[in-house]
Amino acid sequence: MTQVYFQKEKTLIDADIDFFKLRIKQYEELLKVNHNKNWWNEDMEIKQLCKYFNREDITIRKAVKKMCDDGLDEYKLLVNNKVVISKEGVEWICKNVFKQKYVELLEQYKMELTEKYIEEGYPYDNFFWKN
């Protein structure tokens, strides 16, 4: 945890993301699990994004604008007169705007791997000698 809370190079949320990604990688290598986790399997309309990220319409639209301003306007589609964000766009918004949601997804996956780790009989209290 010192690599999360006592470092100054990046924001706390970015440090959390790096921490969970590192632990996930360690679990996957130890358990010989291929990383095939993809949380963004479908395109979403603005209303769906509001529910997914638990944000207001205006906040989602600002995130979509930020994505487009970063040169990724191909992820914004117009389908049946409704704005739809491609699954790649949803991933980008999650990783770059609503990072807390990304942390939640990583944490949930890490916990799934932790359960497998424990089921395999590995001593959880001694995880890589750095709990």
Side-chain angles (χ1 to χ4, degrees):
M1 292 310 263
T2 57
Q3 65 264 39
V4 173
Y5 295 110
F6 297 108
Q7 57 79 33
K8 295 181 182 179
E9 296 82 40
K10 53 187 119 176
T11 65
L12 182 58
I13 192 103
D14 288 332
D16 280 340
I17 288 168
D18 289 347
F19 172 78
F20 281 114
K21 287 168 84 176
L22 176 65
R23 279 294 163 96
I24 286 168
K25 184 178 180 219
Q26 290 170 334
Y27 274 130
E28 287 175 336
E29 287 174 1
L30 191 86
L31 296 169
K32 295 173 181 52
V33 173
N34 289 329
H35 183 77
N36 59 359
K37 197 69 165 173
N38 186 5
W39 297 288
W40 306 283
N41 294 320
E42 63 184 65
D43 302 345
M44 292 188 193
E45 295 178 6
I46 296 292
K47 286 184 180 184
Q48 291 172 298
L49 290 169
C50 290
K51 287 181 183 177
Y52 183 72
F53 291 114
N54 194 27
R55 297 287 193 274
E56 295 292 326
D57 183 274
I58 188 70
T59 307
I60 295 298
R61 290 184 187 277
K62 286 179 182 177
V64 170
K65 182 180 181 330
K66 180 175 174 32
M67 177 187 73
C68 292
D69 289 347
D70 277 10
L72 300 168
D73 49 339
E74 72 267 14
Y75 295 159
K76 180 182 174 184
L77 314 167
L78 192 60
V79 179
N80 297 325
N81 292 325
K82 292 185 179 186
V83 174
V84 175
I85 306 304
S86 70
K87 61 187 177 186
E88 294 85 4
V90 175
E91 177 179 1
W92 187 92
I93 290 170
C94 191
K95 289 181 174 180
N96 295 282
V97 180
F98 302 121
K99 292 180 180 183
Q100 186 57 45
K101 177 70 174 183
Y102 187 40
V103 168
E104 291 169 13
L105 294 170
L106 289 170
E107 184 175 20
Q108 181 181 4
Y109 181 51
K110 184 239 174 223
M111 290 308 298
E112 290 171 19
L113 291 173
T114 299
E115 289 174 13
K116 280 187 177 184
Y117 178 84
I118 293 169
E119 286 172 8
E120 294 285 328
Y122 292 106
Y124 181 68
D125 289 342
N126 240 346
F127 185 80
F128 300 112
W129 305 276
K130 36 178 155 164
N131 262 7

